[in-house]
Amino acid sequence: MTASPAPLATDGAPLVVPVPLAGKAYDILIGPGLVARAGAEIAARFGAVAVTIVTDEAVAAHHLGPLAESFAAAGLAHESVVLPPGEQTKSFASLEHVVDAVLAQRRERGDLVVALGGGVIGDLAGFVAAIVRRGMRFVQIPTTLLSQVDSSVGGKTGINTPRGKNLVGAFHQPSLVLADTATLTTLSPRHVRAGYAEIAKYGLIDDPDLFAWLEANHGAVTGLDPAALAHAVAASCRAKARVVVEDEFETEGARALLNLGHTFGHALETATGYGERLIHGEAVAIGVALAFRFSAQLGLCPPEDAARVAAHLHAAGLPTRLSDVPGDLPDDAALVALMAQDKKVKRGKLTFILARGIGQSFIANDVDPAAVTAFLGTERGR
Amino acid sequence: MTASPAPLATDGAPLVVPVPLAGKAYDILIGPGLVARAGAEIAARFGAVAVTIVTDEAVAAHHLGPLAESFAAAGLAHESVVLPPGEQTKSFASLEHVVDAVLAQRRERGDLVVALGGGVIGDLAGFVAAIVRRGMRFVQIPTTLLSQVDSSVGGKTGINTPRGKNLVGAFHQPSLVLADTATLTTLSPRHVRAGYAEIAKYGLIDDPDLFAWLEANHGAVTGLDPAALAHAVAASCRAKARVVVEDEFETEGARALLNLGHTFGHALETATGYGERLIHGEAVAIGVALAFRFSAQLGLCPPEDAARVAAHLHAAGLPTRLSDVPGDLPDDAALVALMAQDKKVKRGKLTFILARGIGQSFIANDVDPAAVTAFLGTERGR
Ligand SMILES: NC(=O)c1ccc[n+]([C@@H]2O[C@H](COP(=O)([O-])OP(=O)(O)OC[C@H]3O[C@@H](n4cnc5c(N)ncnc54)[C@H](O)[C@@H]3O)[C@@H](O)[C@H]2O)c1
Ligand SMILES: NC(=O)c1ccc[n+]([C@@H]2O[C@H](COP(=O)([O-])OP(=O)(O)OC[C@H]3O[C@@H](n4cnc5c(N)ncnc54)[C@H](O)[C@@H]3O)[C@@H](O)[C@H]2O)c1
Ligand SMILES: [Zn+2]
Ligand SMILES: [Zn+2]
């Protein structure tokens, strides 16, 4: 990681981050203009496949037309399914609806599901691709910063149920990811900031140089400066790809580090109903700040590092405290109970990603729920 | 394959067929009394897991009590979900219902889903296990002959949709299969015969000695003679395991041979509504007979072999002709259209398993739909 990013190639060629998974390696292309090139990229790699585009209304308004045009220009048969935007679209009902649409379009196993949208669309469409005919190919075209740096890479797909977030799904790798950074110009600044939280997370996990670069350059990234943006997205994808290759199915632990901030974060999202009150990246920002302060309270991490983390997230316009969540939250015990329903539970003990400092995160498998309850009490000033 | 089966071990130990899949090898135990031993077998292999038993009302009436007792005796926490019997249980609605029950019981990733029932329950419960928390362990306790020789082995799980059979699902291997042959004594003779069709299929694919043994011993098998039954089930499981190990995800062709009789069969099941009018194994029996006669008509297979196949299935009490299906069927073109919606389609051509003789089946990827329509015309005597 250098203090100034490598410039984008002057010929406009995208940055390429390979994900070298045995038997299912794929590339992530990063840069502006990839929606317009999608048809050509897909035809060159997969031939004359038929495509089902899955997207949401907000994304469709800006980007579906150009994508469909690029498929038409490449001679690819394509139809689309447009869903309402929002987390509630990651449901069994949408799953059944999209599955039916793909089958109605008579897509075969070698055909393509293309996810055009943020993490909601990517997770849902990827899960559809995983289960229709027991597995179709799919391509991610992430259009939020969060999905470009996180959810579109790594093959975790799924939906929510009334009992919790992402409790149902599959590991199903995309065959290609096209991260068109120019699509972010139509994204709300709030969602740009939320995605930024995940970029900061990669620095905090194991890359202190990236974190230092972000401290100096976060304004350029969230201001959508093309070179800074591509640099930050590529650094994030490289970090995620490394972990995914090491632990594809999240069984060996390595991948669990990506959950820094997420055990706290998911509990807050559940408590606030996965809605506009608190969006995923904001919950992660609070979760990351809490994880560092919890680590400091346990004597694991210097309090200065926890303060530096919170200061940076705050400077990037992100929330860092429970009290930053608008409206009332459940009490401490209820929040801890929500964490215990989370996936990352082993026989009654909680699993958290804690830190010994910036860029020094580790997996703590044996966290006592009572210690978490006590910590939340301190956070609320009791 | 010998003319007389090896006797069951006198100490009552089950036959064991290993499925040596890299990284997820498992055993199939075959013999009477395995329901009563299930708790001990599971505790010995997986430790103190918590279990969700998925079953149907008809199976529960006979076998749920003993299974629950065996779990209790082994100290395993267990709860059950009992569904209505029948093919319509392989639906999105049941999937959502069982997923919710498993989550309500707070099962974790290392816990166990146990399928107690026929192929309907096995396919559904296996799919639930595949997608809850992106993959839980599961154990198959098949209670129909069909599920003991076919559906419980190999990891294909899934549900139907209004657009077709098994169009949605996952490859998810069980961690153990307990084929308790004594459970078949409560199964209707019609379903015993239907399961027998899949046993005959293994002989017809590539094991002429097994087919000859069945010609001599089918009465003992369908009469549930313990030694003949265990021999036939084990031979079938060995044949299926061999193909599954060669081609786990049905991408390389080898596994497609298992579809002998199934392209015709699925079309007939769709046409008759997956119901009591024609059950799966009966549809397969007709499909196998049709595949051999179609092969003969194409000049690929001696007509005598096709006649011998039909004679044997008929002797075992199975249907072998379209006219054996009670009630009206769609016309030839409509039946072929149903085959084209089947999974085994590549770019407009149909894939059939055809045969050069008994035990000499092969994959034909390029079958012209018009040739099938013409063949169906001959079958109906036009
Ligand atoms: N699979 C994974 O590994 C993984 C990782 C992290 C997060 N996630 C999931 O991702 C989801 C959150 O993703 P998200 O933040 O991208 O949410 P999102 O998909 O809901 O997108 C946020 C909002 O922005 C809109 N939008 C998206 N792109 C736009 C664009 N270019 N212009 C204008 N509007 C646009 C959407 O319509 C939506 O309203 C959560 O469900 C989370 O669980 C998954
Ligand atoms: N996954 C695979 O590889 C695979 C392979 C072949 C078939 N299948 C699927 O299997 C299904 C058919 O399986 P099936 O024939 O076992 O059907 P099934 O599960 O519906 O069982 C048949 C009937 O017998 C009853 N029953 C089951 N066991 C009994 C017992 N011991 N005593 C009394 N009644 C009992 C059931 O309640 C049901 O009414 C189809 O859905 C088919 O698609 C899957
Ligand atoms: Zn996240
Ligand atoms: Zn079958």
Side-chain angles (χ1 to χ4, degrees):
Chain A
M1 206 56 53
T2 55
S4 62
L8 279 179
T10 44
D11 62 353
L15 303 180
V16 181
V17 175
V19 185
L21 280 165
K24 42 194 162 181
Y26 58 95
D27 286 335
I28 308 164
L29 309 191
I30 300 161
L34 285 165
V35 163
R37 289 173 51 170
E41 295 285 352
I42 286 170
R45 285 156 200 257
F46 311 118
V49 291
V51 178
T52 299
I53 304 168
V54 182
T55 189
D56 74 31
E57 287 153 10
V59 177
H62 301 290
H63 306 292
L64 180 56
L67 183 64
E69 257 172 57
S70 115
F71 287 152
L76 299 175
H78 57 281
E79 292 177 78
S80 53
V81 188
V82 183
L83 300 164
E87 188 71 35
Q88 62 289 351
T89 286
K90 268 174 65 174
S91 66
F92 259 111
S94 307
L95 181 73
E96 190 171 355
H97 173 74
V98 180
V99 161
D100 187 65
V102 173
L103 291 173
Q105 294 166 16
R106 298 183 153 259
R107 298 295 177 247
E108 301 173 7
R109 226 164 147 184
D111 287 332
L112 218 57
V113 173
V114 169
L116 174 71
V120 163
I121 291 298
D123 282 12
L124 173 69
F127 190 32
V128 168
I131 65 174
V132 170
R133 300 175 189 275
R134 296 199 188 90
M136 293 177 61
R137 289 196 282 197
F138 90 111
V139 168
Q140 294 266 21
I141 306 186
T143 64
T144 64
L145 185 53
L146 182 136
S147 57
Q148 294 188 352
V149 301
D150 187 355
S151 61
S152 68
V153 177
K156 277 169 82 167
T157 70
I159 57 173
N160 307 318
T161 90
R163 298 195 190 270
K165 212 172 138 51
N166 296 325
L167 288 175
V168 172
F171 290 94
H172 188 60
Q173 299 293 337
S175 300
L176 177 67
V177 180
L178 301 174
D180 184 339
T181 48
T183 60
L184 303 182
T185 55
T186 60
L187 185 66
S188 74
R190 182 182 179 188
H191 276 100
V192 172
R193 290 193 298 271
Y196 183 82
E198 304 272 6
I199 300 178
K201 182 189 77 173
Y202 293 111
L204 295 171
I205 291 173
D206 64 358
D207 192 343
D209 292 343
L210 172 61
F211 190 76
W213 184 85
L214 292 170
E215 286 181 311
N217 295 283
H218 65 87
V221 176
T222 56
L224 305 184
D225 170 77
L229 190 56
H231 176 75
V233 171
S236 301
C237 289
R238 266 192 295 272
K240 178 142 187 189
R242 207 166 51 227
V243 178
V244 166
V245 168
E246 219 178 297
D247 181 17
E248 184 182 353
F249 299 109
E250 202 165 21
T251 46
E252 279 146 43
R255 186 154 174 162
L257 287 174
L258 297 173
N259 290 324
L260 175 63
H262 281 64
T263 301
F264 284 118
H266 284 167
L268 293 174
E269 283 186 283
T270 307
T272 54
Y274 310 125
E276 288 302 299
R277 230 176 110 194
L278 187 73
I279 63 179
H280 180 72
E282 291 168 346
V284 169
I286 298 176
V288 165
L290 290 177
F292 270 81
R293 284 200 293 276
F294 187 32
S295 300
Q297 192 184 74
L298 295 172
L300 296 165
C301 164
E304 309 82 71
D305 280 23
R308 197 177 142 200
V309 169
H312 177 60
L313 295 170
H314 183 74
L318 286 161
T320 59
R321 306 201 148 267
L322 295 179
S323 57
D324 291 338
V325 180
D328 290 335
L329 286 178
D331 66 23
D332 303 342
L335 280 178
V336 174
L338 290 175
M339 295 175 205
Q341 171 59 18
D342 195 80
K343 273 188 313 307
K344 291 163 282 303
V345 177
K346 278 235 171 73
R347 322 244 127 255
K349 291 290 186 176
L350 297 175
T351 297
F352 276 82
I353 309 307
L354 300 178
R356 299 210 164 77
I358 285 167
Q360 299 176 56
S361 297
F362 67 97
I363 302 159
N365 269 317
D366 235 38
V367 175
D368 187 344
V372 186
T373 315
F375 166 67
L376 292 177
T378 341
E379 281 289 308
R380 304 219 216 198
R382 277 192 308 278
Chain B
M1 205 57 52
T2 56
S4 61
L8 279 178
T10 45
D11 62 353
L15 302 181
V16 181
V17 175
V19 185
L21 281 164
K24 42 193 162 179
Y26 59 94
D27 286 334
I28 308 164
L29 309 192
I30 299 160
L34 285 165
V35 163
R37 289 172 52 169
E41 294 286 353
I42 286 169
R45 284 157 201 256
F46 311 117
V49 291
V51 178
T52 298
I53 305 169
V54 182
T55 188
D56 74 30
E57 287 153 10
V59 177
H62 300 290
H63 305 291
L64 180 56
L67 182 65
E69 258 173 55
S70 116
F71 287 153
L76 300 174
H78 57 281
E79 292 177 80
S80 52
V81 188
V82 183
L83 300 163
E87 188 71 34
Q88 63 289 351
T89 285
K90 267 174 66 173
S91 66
F92 259 112
S94 307
L95 181 73
E96 189 170 357
H97 174 74
V98 180
V99 160
D100 187 66
V102 172
L103 291 172
Q105 295 166 17
R106 299 183 154 258
R107 297 295 177 249
E108 300 172 9
R109 227 165 146 183
D111 287 333
L112 217 57
V113 172
V114 170
L116 174 71
V120 163
I121 290 298
D123 281 11
L124 173 70
F127 190 32
V128 168
I131 66 175
V132 170
R133 299 174 190 277
R134 297 199 187 89
M136 293 177 60
R137 287 197 283 197
F138 90 111
V139 169
Q140 294 266 22
I141 307 186
T143 64
T144 63
L145 185 53
L146 181 136
S147 56
Q148 294 188 353
V149 300
D150 187 354
S151 62
S152 68
V153 176
K156 277 169 83 167
T157 70
I159 57 174
N160 307 320
T161 90
R163 297 195 190 269
K165 212 171 138 53
N166 296 325
L167 289 175
V168 172
F171 289 94
H172 188 59
Q173 299 293 336
S175 299
L176 178 67
V177 180
L178 302 174
D180 185 339
T181 49
T183 59
L184 303 183
T185 54
T186 60
L187 185 65
S188 73
R190 181 182 180 188
H191 275 101
V192 172
R193 290 193 299 270
Y196 182 82
E198 304 273 5
I199 300 178
K201 183 189 75 173
Y202 293 111
L204 295 171
I205 291 173
D206 63 358
D207 193 342
D209 292 344
L210 172 61
F211 190 75
W213 183 85
L214 291 170
E215 286 181 310
N217 295 282
H218 66 86
V221 176
T222 56
L224 305 184
D225 170 78
L229 189 57
H231 176 75
V233 171
S236 301
C237 289
R238 266 193 295 272
K240 178 143 188 189
R242 206 167 51 228
V243 177
V244 165
V245 168
E246 220 178 296
D247 182 17
E248 184 182 353
F249 299 109
E250 202 165 20
T251 46
E252 280 147 43
R255 186 155 175 163
L257 287 175
L258 297 173
N259 290 325
L260 175 62
H262 281 65
T263 301
F264 286 117
H266 284 167
L268 293 174
E269 283 187 283
T270 307
T272 54
Y274 310 125
E276 287 303 299
R277 228 177 111 195
L278 187 74
I279 63 179
H280 180 71
E282 292 168 345
V284 169
I286 298 176
V288 164
L290 291 176
F292 270 81
R293 283 199 294 275
F294 187 33
S295 301
Q297 192 183 75
L298 295 172
L300 296 164
C301 164
E304 309 81 71
D305 280 22
R308 197 177 141 200
V309 169
H312 176 61
L313 294 170
H314 183 73
L318 286 161
T320 61
R321 307 202 147 267
L322 295 179
S323 57
D324 291 339
V325 180
D328 290 335
L329 286 178
D331 66 22
D332 302 341
L335 280 178
V336 174
L338 290 174
M339 295 174 205
Q341 172 58 19
D342 196 79
K343 272 190 312 308
K344 290 164 282 302
V345 178
K346 277 233 171 73
R347 321 246 127 255
K349 292 289 186 175
L350 297 175
T351 297
F352 276 82
I353 309 307
L354 298 179
R356 300 209 164 78
I358 284 168
Q360 299 176 57
S361 297
F362 68 96
I363 303 160
N365 269 317
D366 235 39
V367 176
D368 187 344
V372 186
T373 314
F375 166 67
L376 291 177
T378 340
E379 281 288 308
R380 305 219 216 197
R382 276 193 308 277

